[in-house]
Amino acid sequence: MSVDRSFRDSRHTGRLVTEPGGLADSLARVAGLQQRAEIRADLPIGGGSGAGRWLRCADLLDDPTLLDEWRARLAEWLRAEFGRAPARTTASYVMSWYLRVPAYAGALLLHHERRVPMLRPAELAVRTAAEGRPDPDGVTVLGRSFYCLPSDPGSARPEATVVADERALAEVLRARYVAHVSRFVAVYRRISPLGARTLWAGATDALDSCLWWAGAQGGTAESEGAGVADATLVLESRFAPLTSASTLRTTLDEHGRRVWTRRRESCCFSYLLPGADECAGCPRTRPRP
């Protein structure tokens, strides 16, 4: 059993101010394609207040008490729903939610636009749900610089850095993501019961899953397969400190149909909740070599 529903379903309803050929233009296009969280290129005036406000990733890393507040909100919700809120469960969920911000932004733009934003903590922001379970329901990419292919119509723009091919673009996404996650790991391991290995396993899960989701949200087997191909391109093997190559594989569902699934690298610790068991694909239940 798992209470993890990833990003909340949300539809973008605002309008982005775009520059033809720029990164905001890309974000405007992908905003209508994704389903897991609102994604935008700006912060609303005022940014909201209290629960549900927009926070830059840099703010969360510079002031870890904000991450503690996030965990406290989740703990309150878990106690209301399940009667208890184990520290490892709240730490793991907030870890996964945070890591999906750079992973989701990078995966969407790579898959749909063949562009990679810088993914710096100062250039990403997240909004958590104002009521109920405080998972992310919005992501903002504030930076304007991006990496792209020679064929990109915006490749001549001053904020564009052109790379040779798709493999090079995948390398850039992996490197930019790892640079962001390195800052998160340094902060979060000091304030949570999770060690560095668990945090990097969570980072691997977030990147692999978000690349898969970017294709799967297209609703067809072909688009889902394209997302899996992106995950294989970015995580074709293990690149330390990430903990594995892509673990996406096919399996048979209860109706005998072949579907995509993946083996998790990290544990969400949902099994610590009353009446819960390990999730499918949990590393705790993986046979030992």
Side-chain angles (χ1 to χ4, degrees), residues 202-225:
T204 307
D205 283 333
L207 184 57
D208 198 20
S209 295
C210 285
L211 289 162
W212 175 25
W213 292 338
Q217 67 196 9
T220 68
E222 291 77 12
S223 59
E224 183 174 18

Side-chain angles (χ1 to χ4, degrees), residues 9-30:
D9 287 345
S10 175
R11 291 293 183 177
H12 176 61
T13 57
R15 297 182 62 189
L16 301 180
V17 177
T18 66
E19 303 171 18
L23 191 61
D25 199 22
S26 286
L27 288 161
R29 286 190 292 270
V30 302

Side-chain angles (χ1 to χ4, degrees), residues 114 119 123 161 289:
R114 280 310 191 240
L119 299 180
E123 296 179 354
T161 299

Side-chain angles (χ1 to χ4, degrees), residues 66-262:
L66 295 172
L67 290 168
D68 284 333
E69 290 174 8
W70 196 356
R71 288 175 56 192
R73 287 180 59 205
L74 173 60
E76 182 179 2
W77 182 84
L78 286 173
R79 281 191 288 268
E81 293 288 320
F82 296 93
R84 61 191 301 257
R88 283 184 292 170
T89 308
T90 61
S92 180
Y93 270 74
V94 169
M95 170 197 74
S96 296
W97 289 339
Y98 179 96
L99 291 170
R100 286 172 191 159
V101 176
Y104 193 57
L108 280 175
L109 286 164
L110 176 73
H111 181 74
H112 294 293
E113 297 284 308
R114 280 310 191 240
R115 289 180 171 184
V116 174
M118 300 301 289
L119 299 180
R120 297 188 184 101
E123 296 179 354
L124 294 171
V126 60
R127 182 189 63 205
T128 56
E131 298 179 357
R133 203 180 72 142
D135 46 344
D137 65 1
V139 174
T140 290
V141 181
L142 298 168
R144 293 295 175 263
S145 298
F146 61 92
Y147 297 85
C148 65
L149 300 173
S151 58
D152 190 295
S155 60
R157 297 180 63 88
E159 66 269 31
T161 299
V162 179
V163 300
D165 52 28
E166 290 190 345
R167 182 174 295 276
L169 200 61
E171 291 173 357
V172 167
L173 173 56
R174 194 170 57 243
R176 298 306 311 174
Y177 178 70
V178 165
H180 186 135
V181 173
S182 294
R183 283 199 57 193
F184 173 76
V185 169
V187 170
Y188 205 61
R189 66 182 301 187
R190 297 197 301 267
I191 65 168
S192 79
L194 307 179
R197 202 293 177 179
T198 296
L199 294 172
W200 281 110
T204 307
D205 283 333
L207 184 57
D208 198 20
S209 295
C210 285
L211 289 162
W212 175 25
W213 292 338
Q217 67 196 9
T220 68
E222 291 77 12
S223 59
E224 183 174 18
V228 172
D230 283 342
T232 302
L233 181 66
V234 176
L235 295 171
E236 62 180 347
S237 61
R238 183 197 169 190
F239 296 95
L242 299 173
T243 58
S244 78
S246 174
T247 64
L248 284 158
R249 66 191 189 281
T250 58
T251 189
L252 296 179
D253 67 10
E254 59 184 4
H255 303 292
R257 296 173 300 196
R258 191 159 292 279
V259 296
W260 287 101
T261 187
R262 68 177 304 277

